Amino acid sequence: MPTIAILGAGPGLGRAVAYRYAREGYDIVLVGRNLDRLQELTSGLTALGVTVHPIAGDLSDYEAIGELAGRVRDAAGDPDVLYFAPVSSDVTFVPAAQQSAETAARITSLLYFSLVALVQEFLPHMLASGNGAILTAQGASALSGLAGMSGPGPAAAAQRNYLQSLSSEVGERG
């Protein structure tokens, strides 16, 4: 059974992605900060006949991604698909002139550094199997700088550029 890890599983897009992949027969790994919310999502998904593994974890600490990846592997093995779309109260839009370096660092750690760490953990399996996908949720602020929409935009742009480079390098390998 193929597996998707939904990193930043929540009530919006993460939930929709989980249900979409469950209907396709994927086993689901849900990673989020609130285990109670993950358990609620788990109960609905298991009714579709798939195995669901809820894992509480904080994606904002990229230095702890190795430990989190180990917990994902222990629960379900290496995932075939990663869906990365964490949110945090720090991830808010602000005018660029009001963006602090401290907030930019926290957002970049969450949206970019943690993604890179997760890719380093799970890409080898995808390359070895010749199959896999890495999905993220981004908006227009990842494509170009927009007035009043700094904050996550620059970090999402770094994420987008990284994934485009990665695709160019390994896309032909499945």
Side-chain angles (χ1 to χ4, degrees), residues 38-53:
L38 296 176
Q39 294 288 9
E40 289 173 22
L41 183 53
T42 296
S43 63
L45 290 165
T46 55
L48 297 175
V50 298
T51 302
V52 182
H53 306 276

Side-chain angles (χ1 to χ4, degrees), residues 106-162:
R106 284 192 303 273
I107 293 170
T108 302
S109 179
L110 175 64
L111 295 182
Y112 179 63
F113 297 154
S114 290
L115 173 64
V116 172
L118 286 160
V119 169
Q120 293 305 305
E121 288 288 337
F122 296 121
L123 182 64
H125 165 75
M126 292 178 187
L127 293 175
S129 68
N131 189 30
I134 301 168
L135 310 168
T136 62
Q138 300 173 351
S141 65
L143 297 174
S144 64
L146 302 171
M149 295 188 73
S150 194
Q159 184 187 90
R160 178 185 53 87
N161 288 347
Y162 169 71

Side-chain angles (χ1 to χ4, degrees), residues 86-112:
V87 289
S88 166
S89 60
D90 282 344
V91 181
T92 58
F93 292 109
V94 298
Q98 296 174 13
Q99 177 69 62
S100 73
E102 294 80 15
T103 300
R106 284 192 303 273
I107 293 170
T108 302
S109 179
L110 175 64
L111 295 182
Y112 179 63

Side-chain angles (χ1 to χ4, degrees), residues 11-45:
L13 287 173
R15 180 182 187 282
V17 169
Y19 273 90
R20 169 76 164 106
Y21 275 81
R23 285 190 299 273
E24 297 294 324
Y26 280 72
D27 285 341
I28 311 290
V29 176
L30 301 171
V31 177
R33 292 173 295 198
N34 187 313
L35 188 57
D36 290 336
R37 288 186 190 151
L38 296 176
Q39 294 288 9
E40 289 173 22
L41 183 53
T42 296
S43 63
L45 290 165

